[in-house]
Short mmCIF file of all heavy atoms in Angstrom, two decimals:
data_model
loop_
_atom_site.label_atom_id
_atom_site.label_comp_id
_atom_site.label_asym_id
_atom_site.label_seq_id
_atom_site.Cartn_x
_atom_site.Cartn_y
_atom_site.Cartn_z
N THR A 1354 6.55 -6.10 -7.11
CA THR A 1354 6.64 -6.86 -8.36
C THR A 1354 6.02 -8.19 -8.31
O THR A 1354 5.68 -8.84 -9.35
CB THR A 1354 8.10 -6.74 -8.95
OG1 THR A 1354 8.98 -7.36 -8.06
CG2 THR A 1354 8.35 -5.27 -9.31
N ASP A 1355 6.11 -8.86 -7.22
CA ASP A 1355 5.64 -10.20 -7.09
C ASP A 1355 4.19 -10.27 -7.11
O ASP A 1355 3.57 -11.10 -7.49
CB ASP A 1355 6.04 -10.86 -5.76
CG ASP A 1355 7.65 -10.97 -5.76
OD1 ASP A 1355 8.11 -11.60 -6.72
OD2 ASP A 1355 8.20 -10.63 -4.74
N LEU A 1356 3.47 -9.19 -6.53
CA LEU A 1356 2.02 -9.09 -6.40
C LEU A 1356 1.49 -8.39 -7.70
O LEU A 1356 0.37 -8.93 -8.09
CB LEU A 1356 1.64 -8.10 -5.25
CG LEU A 1356 0.19 -7.73 -5.20
CD1 LEU A 1356 -0.60 -9.02 -4.78
CD2 LEU A 1356 0.05 -6.76 -4.05
N THR A 1357 2.09 -7.59 -8.39
CA THR A 1357 1.37 -6.94 -9.55
C THR A 1357 0.84 -7.80 -10.66
O THR A 1357 -0.26 -7.41 -11.13
CB THR A 1357 2.51 -5.94 -10.21
OG1 THR A 1357 3.07 -5.04 -9.21
CG2 THR A 1357 1.88 -5.16 -11.39
N PRO A 1358 1.49 -8.95 -10.99
CA PRO A 1358 0.71 -9.83 -11.95
C PRO A 1358 -0.54 -10.25 -11.64
O PRO A 1358 -1.46 -10.46 -12.34
CB PRO A 1358 1.63 -10.99 -12.13
CG PRO A 1358 3.02 -10.34 -11.75
CD PRO A 1358 2.78 -9.45 -10.64
N HIS A 1359 -0.75 -10.55 -10.24
CA HIS A 1359 -2.04 -10.91 -9.67
C HIS A 1359 -3.01 -9.80 -9.82
O HIS A 1359 -4.31 -10.13 -10.10
CB HIS A 1359 -1.95 -11.40 -8.21
CG HIS A 1359 -1.06 -12.59 -8.08
ND1 HIS A 1359 -1.26 -13.86 -8.62
CD2 HIS A 1359 0.10 -12.67 -7.39
CE1 HIS A 1359 -0.20 -14.66 -8.27
NE2 HIS A 1359 0.61 -13.99 -7.57
N LEU A 1360 -2.60 -8.72 -9.49
CA LEU A 1360 -3.53 -7.49 -9.58
C LEU A 1360 -4.03 -7.33 -10.96
O LEU A 1360 -5.27 -7.14 -11.24
CB LEU A 1360 -2.86 -6.21 -9.04
CG LEU A 1360 -2.28 -6.21 -7.65
CD1 LEU A 1360 -1.60 -4.91 -7.33
CD2 LEU A 1360 -3.33 -6.75 -6.62
N THR A 1361 -3.06 -7.35 -11.76
CA THR A 1361 -3.35 -7.10 -13.26
C THR A 1361 -4.40 -8.26 -13.78
O THR A 1361 -5.40 -7.96 -14.47
CB THR A 1361 -2.18 -7.36 -14.13
OG1 THR A 1361 -1.40 -6.08 -13.68
CG2 THR A 1361 -2.47 -6.98 -15.67
N ALA A 1362 -4.14 -9.41 -13.42
CA ALA A 1362 -5.07 -10.50 -13.84
C ALA A 1362 -6.39 -10.38 -13.44
O ALA A 1362 -7.38 -10.99 -14.04
CB ALA A 1362 -4.39 -11.88 -13.51
N HIS A 1363 -6.62 -9.75 -12.30
CA HIS A 1363 -7.96 -9.67 -11.69
C HIS A 1363 -8.53 -8.30 -11.67
O HIS A 1363 -9.52 -7.94 -11.08
CB HIS A 1363 -8.06 -10.31 -10.36
CG HIS A 1363 -7.72 -11.67 -10.33
ND1 HIS A 1363 -8.58 -12.64 -10.53
CD2 HIS A 1363 -6.39 -12.32 -10.02
CE1 HIS A 1363 -7.99 -13.85 -10.38
NE2 HIS A 1363 -6.70 -13.63 -10.26
N GLY A 1364 -7.98 -7.46 -12.47
CA GLY A 1364 -8.45 -6.15 -12.72
C GLY A 1364 -8.37 -5.14 -11.44
O GLY A 1364 -9.27 -4.33 -11.26
N VAL A 1365 -7.45 -5.46 -10.60
CA VAL A 1365 -7.35 -4.70 -9.44
C VAL A 1365 -6.58 -3.33 -9.61
O VAL A 1365 -5.49 -3.42 -10.08
CB VAL A 1365 -6.72 -5.49 -8.31
CG1 VAL A 1365 -6.52 -4.71 -6.97
CG2 VAL A 1365 -7.57 -6.70 -7.90
N ASP A 1366 -7.17 -2.18 -9.40
CA ASP A 1366 -6.58 -0.93 -9.71
C ASP A 1366 -5.67 -0.41 -8.60
O ASP A 1366 -4.76 0.34 -8.83
CB ASP A 1366 -7.72 0.07 -9.96
CG ASP A 1366 -8.62 -0.49 -11.08
OD1 ASP A 1366 -8.18 -0.53 -12.29
OD2 ASP A 1366 -9.75 -0.74 -10.85
N GLY A 1367 -6.08 -0.64 -7.37
CA GLY A 1367 -5.29 -0.12 -6.24
C GLY A 1367 -5.31 -1.10 -4.96
O GLY A 1367 -6.17 -1.92 -4.93
N THR A 1368 -4.46 -0.83 -4.13
CA THR A 1368 -4.30 -1.69 -2.98
C THR A 1368 -4.09 -0.86 -1.53
O THR A 1368 -3.63 0.34 -1.67
CB THR A 1368 -3.14 -2.62 -3.04
OG1 THR A 1368 -1.90 -2.02 -2.89
CG2 THR A 1368 -3.09 -3.40 -4.41
N VAL A 1369 -4.34 -1.61 -0.51
CA VAL A 1369 -4.05 -1.10 0.74
C VAL A 1369 -2.92 -2.07 1.42
O VAL A 1369 -3.27 -3.19 1.50
CB VAL A 1369 -5.14 -0.96 1.74
CG1 VAL A 1369 -4.86 -0.56 3.16
CG2 VAL A 1369 -6.20 -0.06 1.27
N LEU A 1370 -1.74 -1.50 1.45
CA LEU A 1370 -0.59 -2.21 2.03
C LEU A 1370 -0.55 -2.19 3.58
O LEU A 1370 -0.70 -1.11 4.11
CB LEU A 1370 0.69 -1.66 1.53
CG LEU A 1370 1.98 -2.13 1.99
CD1 LEU A 1370 2.04 -3.75 1.80
CD2 LEU A 1370 3.10 -1.52 1.03
N VAL A 1371 -0.52 -3.31 4.23
CA VAL A 1371 -0.69 -3.39 5.76
C VAL A 1371 0.56 -3.90 6.32
O VAL A 1371 1.24 -4.81 5.80
CB VAL A 1371 -1.73 -4.42 6.09
CG1 VAL A 1371 -2.14 -4.46 7.63
CG2 VAL A 1371 -3.10 -3.83 5.41
N GLN A 1372 0.98 -3.25 7.40
CA GLN A 1372 2.14 -3.58 8.09
C GLN A 1372 2.23 -5.15 8.54
O GLN A 1372 1.15 -5.67 8.66
CB GLN A 1372 2.30 -2.79 9.52
CG GLN A 1372 1.19 -2.95 10.42
CD GLN A 1372 1.36 -4.17 11.49
OE1 GLN A 1372 0.33 -4.85 11.60
NE2 GLN A 1372 2.56 -4.35 11.95
N SER A 1373 3.35 -5.61 8.80
CA SER A 1373 3.62 -7.03 9.27
C SER A 1373 4.51 -7.14 10.41
O SER A 1373 4.64 -8.10 11.00
CB SER A 1373 3.99 -7.94 8.15
OG SER A 1373 5.24 -7.43 7.58
N SER A 1374 5.21 -5.96 10.80
CA SER A 1374 5.99 -6.00 11.90
C SER A 1374 5.80 -4.66 12.67
O SER A 1374 5.34 -3.73 12.25
CB SER A 1374 7.55 -6.10 11.73
OG SER A 1374 7.99 -5.11 10.98
N SER A 1375 6.19 -4.71 14.05
CA SER A 1375 6.03 -3.62 14.86
C SER A 1375 7.23 -2.73 14.80
O SER A 1375 8.06 -2.75 15.65
CB SER A 1375 5.82 -4.07 16.32
OG SER A 1375 4.63 -4.78 16.45
N SER A 1376 7.15 -1.89 13.74
CA SER A 1376 8.43 -1.20 13.36
C SER A 1376 8.12 0.14 12.62
O SER A 1376 7.42 0.02 11.56
CB SER A 1376 9.33 -2.05 12.53
OG SER A 1376 10.42 -1.36 11.77
N TYR A 1377 8.52 1.18 13.13
CA TYR A 1377 8.36 2.49 12.36
C TYR A 1377 9.24 2.53 11.16
O TYR A 1377 8.83 3.06 10.16
CB TYR A 1377 8.78 3.68 13.31
CG TYR A 1377 7.93 4.06 14.41
CD1 TYR A 1377 8.16 4.09 15.72
CD2 TYR A 1377 6.66 4.64 14.02
CE1 TYR A 1377 7.15 4.36 16.63
CE2 TYR A 1377 5.69 5.15 14.94
CZ TYR A 1377 5.95 4.99 16.26
OH TYR A 1377 5.05 5.36 17.21
N GLU A 1378 10.31 1.75 11.14
CA GLU A 1378 11.24 1.68 9.94
C GLU A 1378 10.53 1.02 8.85
O GLU A 1378 10.55 1.55 7.76
CB GLU A 1378 12.47 1.01 10.41
CG GLU A 1378 13.38 1.86 11.17
CD GLU A 1378 12.96 1.75 12.76
OE1 GLU A 1378 12.12 0.88 13.03
OE2 GLU A 1378 13.45 2.73 13.54
N GLU A 1379 9.81 -0.10 9.22
CA GLU A 1379 9.01 -0.74 8.20
C GLU A 1379 8.02 0.04 7.60
O GLU A 1379 7.69 0.14 6.38
CB GLU A 1379 8.50 -2.11 8.65
CG GLU A 1379 7.69 -2.92 7.65
CD GLU A 1379 6.77 -3.94 8.23
OE1 GLU A 1379 5.71 -3.60 8.81
OE2 GLU A 1379 6.99 -5.07 7.83
N THR A 1380 7.31 0.73 8.43
CA THR A 1380 6.17 1.64 8.06
C THR A 1380 6.63 2.70 7.15
O THR A 1380 6.03 2.92 6.10
CB THR A 1380 5.47 2.26 9.25
OG1 THR A 1380 4.84 1.26 10.13
CG2 THR A 1380 4.40 3.27 8.81
N ALA A 1381 7.85 3.26 7.35
CA ALA A 1381 8.32 4.33 6.51
C ALA A 1381 8.71 3.73 5.12
O ALA A 1381 8.50 4.30 3.96
CB ALA A 1381 9.57 4.95 7.21
N GLU A 1382 9.26 2.48 5.13
CA GLU A 1382 9.64 1.84 3.78
C GLU A 1382 8.37 1.64 3.13
O GLU A 1382 8.29 1.66 1.75
CB GLU A 1382 10.36 0.52 4.15
CG GLU A 1382 11.65 0.72 4.75
CD GLU A 1382 12.28 -0.55 5.57
OE1 GLU A 1382 11.67 -1.50 5.31
OE2 GLU A 1382 13.25 -0.32 6.14
N LEU A 1383 7.22 1.12 3.70
CA LEU A 1383 6.01 0.95 3.10
C LEU A 1383 5.51 2.09 2.40
O LEU A 1383 4.96 2.09 1.29
CB LEU A 1383 4.98 0.07 3.83
CG LEU A 1383 5.46 -1.16 4.54
CD1 LEU A 1383 4.37 -1.75 5.31
CD2 LEU A 1383 5.82 -2.24 3.44
N LEU A 1384 5.52 3.19 3.21
CA LEU A 1384 5.01 4.48 2.66
C LEU A 1384 5.73 5.00 1.51
O LEU A 1384 5.12 5.70 0.74
CB LEU A 1384 5.16 5.57 3.80
CG LEU A 1384 3.99 5.24 4.99
CD1 LEU A 1384 4.46 6.12 6.19
CD2 LEU A 1384 2.71 5.59 4.54
N ALA A 1385 6.92 4.68 1.25
CA ALA A 1385 7.63 5.00 0.17
C ALA A 1385 7.12 4.57 -1.04
O ALA A 1385 7.12 5.21 -2.21
CB ALA A 1385 9.11 4.67 0.23
N LEU A 1386 6.32 3.44 -1.03
CA LEU A 1386 5.71 2.79 -2.18
C LEU A 1386 4.42 3.56 -2.67
O LEU A 1386 4.05 3.61 -3.79
CB LEU A 1386 5.23 1.41 -1.87
CG LEU A 1386 6.47 0.40 -1.72
CD1 LEU A 1386 5.91 -0.92 -1.26
CD2 LEU A 1386 7.19 0.23 -2.90
N THR A 1387 3.83 4.46 -1.76
CA THR A 1387 2.80 5.27 -2.21
C THR A 1387 3.19 6.43 -3.03
O THR A 1387 2.35 7.09 -3.61
CB THR A 1387 1.92 5.80 -0.89
OG1 THR A 1387 2.79 6.65 -0.19
CG2 THR A 1387 1.51 4.57 -0.15
N ALA A 1388 4.42 6.79 -2.83
CA ALA A 1388 4.95 7.99 -3.64
C ALA A 1388 5.28 7.61 -5.16
O ALA A 1388 5.24 8.57 -5.94
CB ALA A 1388 6.23 8.54 -3.06
N ALA A 1389 5.31 6.33 -5.37
CA ALA A 1389 5.61 5.90 -6.80
C ALA A 1389 4.32 5.77 -7.60
O ALA A 1389 3.24 5.59 -7.07
CB ALA A 1389 6.55 4.57 -6.86
N ALA A 1390 4.52 5.57 -8.82
CA ALA A 1390 3.40 5.38 -9.82
C ALA A 1390 3.07 3.94 -9.69
O ALA A 1390 3.57 3.19 -10.54
CB ALA A 1390 3.61 5.95 -11.27
N GLY A 1391 2.15 3.60 -8.82
CA GLY A 1391 1.91 2.11 -8.70
C GLY A 1391 0.61 1.86 -8.17
O GLY A 1391 -0.28 2.83 -7.81
N PRO A 1392 0.20 0.70 -7.62
CA PRO A 1392 -1.09 0.33 -7.26
C PRO A 1392 -1.35 0.72 -5.85
O PRO A 1392 -2.44 0.78 -5.36
CB PRO A 1392 -1.17 -1.16 -7.43
CG PRO A 1392 0.24 -1.70 -7.33
CD PRO A 1392 1.10 -0.52 -7.89
N VAL A 1393 -0.32 0.88 -4.97
CA VAL A 1393 -0.53 1.19 -3.51
C VAL A 1393 -1.14 2.47 -3.31
O VAL A 1393 -0.38 3.56 -3.58
CB VAL A 1393 0.84 1.06 -2.68
CG1 VAL A 1393 0.62 1.29 -1.30
CG2 VAL A 1393 1.41 -0.38 -2.82
N ARG A 1394 -2.38 2.62 -2.81
CA ARG A 1394 -2.98 3.85 -2.55
C ARG A 1394 -2.85 4.30 -1.19
O ARG A 1394 -3.12 5.51 -0.88
CB ARG A 1394 -4.42 3.73 -2.85
CG ARG A 1394 -4.74 3.36 -4.33
CD ARG A 1394 -4.52 4.59 -5.20
NE ARG A 1394 -5.12 4.28 -6.64
CZ ARG A 1394 -4.50 3.60 -7.63
NH1 ARG A 1394 -3.21 3.20 -7.45
NH2 ARG A 1394 -5.06 3.53 -8.80
N GLY A 1395 -2.63 3.42 -0.21
CA GLY A 1395 -2.37 3.85 1.20
C GLY A 1395 -1.70 2.78 1.94
O GLY A 1395 -1.75 1.46 1.40
N VAL A 1396 -1.26 3.11 3.09
CA VAL A 1396 -0.55 2.17 3.95
C VAL A 1396 -1.14 2.12 5.29
O VAL A 1396 -1.41 3.20 5.99
CB VAL A 1396 0.91 2.54 4.05
CG1 VAL A 1396 1.62 1.64 5.23
CG2 VAL A 1396 1.71 2.22 2.78
N VAL A 1397 -1.47 0.95 5.86
CA VAL A 1397 -1.95 0.76 7.29
C VAL A 1397 -0.56 0.38 7.95
O VAL A 1397 -0.28 -0.70 7.75
CB VAL A 1397 -3.02 -0.22 7.50
CG1 VAL A 1397 -3.25 -0.45 8.86
CG2 VAL A 1397 -4.28 0.20 6.76
#
């Protein structure tokens, strides 16, 4: 929700969300965002 206003302002339709810690748990949490109706199209 912090990022979405920036995406809207610049006509960004989708994003690639990238890991920031060495954690399978974090990766699973990020992947949950791809299941929702939102801009995240994939996770690295």
Side-chain angles (χ1 to χ4, degrees):
T1354 52
D1355 297 311
L1356 174 62
T1357 302
H1359 299 297
L1360 304 180
T1361 301
H1363 295 282
V1365 176
D1366 305 293
T1368 72
V1369 177
L1370 175 54
V1371 182
Q1372 62 84 224
S1373 55
S1374 70
S1375 300
S1376 163
Y1377 281 117
E1378 291 77 17
E1379 180 197 67
T1380 296
E1382 291 161 10
L1383 300 180
L1384 286 167
L1386 294 173
T1387 67
V1393 178
R1394 298 292 194 269
V1396 169
V1397 174

